[in-house]
Amino acid sequence: KAKEAGRNAYRFFDETMNSEVVANLSLRNGLRRALDNDQFVLHYQPQIDLASGTVIGVEALIRWQHPELGLMAPGRFITVAEESGLIVPIGEWVIQEACRQAACWQRAGLPKIVVAVNLSAIQFRRGDVEHTVVRALDASGLDPQFLELELTESILLQGTDSVFTTVRELKKLGVKFSIDDFGTGYSSLSYLKRFAVDKLKIDQSFVRDLTHDSDDAAIIRAIVQMAHSLGLRTIAEGVENENVLEQLRGFGCNEAQGYHFERPMSAEAMSDYLEKSRQSLALALAANN
Ligand code: C2E
Ligand code: MG
Ligand code: MG
Ligand code: MG
């Protein structure tokens, strides 16, 4: 009896594994086609400077405009893209497109903002990040100080000389670096020193319940204090309401990003948003004169 149950359990396991393998294979083929057929798009989410209340940056977030399934969030395909190595060409496209778009907004006379791009550990292992970024900056004409690269703690943990050299060389050009989802990984403070990043992005998981969870509040306060004593800026991700925002202000957090301000939006919607921001800045200036 036990043996039978065991066999059934095994068969069940085997079949789900198989269907998962098949699903991943078709996803992988789909990603390849998506690259060839320009089905990826970038959406942008504003980052607000808490001192001035104005937009100072946007995070570029990839989506897949799937012909049958509609707009797909990265959570559904990034892992497969990483496992198949396709994250390298996909990531190259993201860097090029983000630089192109940011330069385009600047040429249109919109407020100058930093565009932040997410990088995967696999891009560092299998791709040539430095070369890709330099080429994208050249092709777009974007001033490097308006590009920020978001690293994960797993990238820093690889601890290879090539990651270190890439960061150092790109920093020399003026490119900025931040650590994404800060506080969730094995943050070693020595990495912050070694890589000399510019900004910590406090993970959403601490921000979400900030007003109800005193441990989260203590963690965020500690991160902000540590960041500031190291001369780093801080941004809180996943800010969904005014109460959380107020508390972050009290802690001295520099920037915030989240649904409370805006959800990620298309490049076109972002252009309108930046135009509105330009107009209100002009009005504020006129009022002060
Ligand atoms: P992330 O870099 O930490 O990005 C923040 C995620 O939180 C985004 O999800 C964003 O839409 C979402 N978000 C922003 N504000 C709020 C909020 O107030 N509440 C909640 N609940 N969520 C909020 P998205 O766009 O689905 O991206 C998920 C993850 O996929 C990103 O997390 C990033 O790790 C990865 N990703 C996105 N674009 C790229 C890319 O171009 N390359 C790579 N390698 N990874 C990417
Ligand atoms: Mg990010
Ligand atoms: Mg994050
Ligand atoms: Mg992330």
Side-chain angles (χ1 to χ4, degrees), residues 59 61 118 150 180-181 201 237:
E59 179 174 6
L61 296 156
N118 291 283
E150 294 192 2
D180 204 356
D181 307 334
K201 299 196 74 179
E237 297 189 85

Side-chain angles (χ1 to χ4, degrees), residues 15-247:
E15 273 162 21
T16 41
M17 285 293 286
N18 270 330
S19 63
E20 204 177 300
V21 168
V22 171
N24 280 354
L25 245 169
S26 75
L27 193 57
R28 185 185 293 201
N29 293 332
L31 287 171
R32 180 79 260 169
R33 273 196 306 276
L35 256 180
D36 298 337
N37 299 326
D38 288 325
Q39 290 170 1
F40 292 114
V41 287
L42 292 183
H43 279 193
Y44 299 90
Q45 187 178 34
Q47 301 180 323
I48 309 299
D49 176 41
L50 296 185
S52 63
T54 57
V55 56
I56 55 167
V58 293
E59 179 174 6
L61 296 156
I62 195 171
R63 274 95 184 87
W64 178 4
Q65 188 63 63
H66 192 284
E68 283 112 42
L69 303 174
L71 200 64
M72 269 169 76
R76 290 182 60 189
F77 60 86
I78 288 289
T79 307
V80 172
E82 288 179 331
E83 285 164 1
S84 60
L86 283 170
I87 194 67
V88 173
I90 292 172
E92 269 180 39
W93 176 82
V94 172
I95 293 168
Q96 285 163 12
E97 176 60 14
C99 290
R100 188 199 63 76
Q101 183 63 71
C104 177
W105 282 326
Q106 291 196 1
R107 276 188 214 109
L110 294 168
K112 289 195 168 182
I113 48 153
V114 170
V115 66
V117 172
N118 291 283
L119 296 183
S120 149
I122 313 291
Q123 277 176 278
F124 275 91
R125 226 175 287 155
R126 298 221 217 158
D128 186 344
V129 174
E130 187 184 338
H131 184 62
T132 301
V133 170
V134 168
R135 266 199 328 196
L137 289 168
D138 279 349
S140 62
L142 182 69
D143 181 333
Q145 66 173 321
F146 294 106
L147 177 64
E148 177 179 302
L149 299 176
E150 294 192 2
L151 308 177
T152 58
E153 293 174 69
S154 63
I155 294 177
L156 304 186
L157 273 173
Q158 293 184 45
T160 58
D161 286 343
S162 82
V163 174
F164 182 68
T165 309
T166 299
V167 172
R168 192 189 54 202
E169 292 304 311
L170 291 176
K171 273 190 73 94
K172 272 191 211 154
L173 296 180
V175 174
K176 297 195 170 70
F177 286 87
S178 60
I179 301 184
D180 204 356
D181 307 334
F182 187 78
T184 55
Y186 300 91
S187 332
S188 156
L189 300 183
S190 67
Y191 285 122
L192 297 183
K193 200 173 162 208
R194 177 156 188 243
F195 285 90
V197 296
D198 303 280
K199 200 199 278 186
L200 302 182
K201 299 196 74 179
I202 303 167
D203 191 66
Q204 316 199 1
S205 59
F206 305 114
V207 177
R208 201 173 300 130
D209 300 323
L210 171 57
T211 46
H212 302 291
D213 189 323
S214 58
D215 290 341
D216 286 345
I219 290 170
I220 294 185
R221 199 178 322 121
I223 293 175
V224 171
Q225 277 172 6
M226 178 200 62
H228 290 175
S229 33
L230 290 170
L232 310 180
R233 286 177 71 81
T234 48
I235 179 167
E237 297 189 85
V239 176
E240 294 188 353
N241 63 60
E242 185 66 38
N243 294 339
V244 166
L245 180 62
E246 273 320 304
Q247 199 152 353

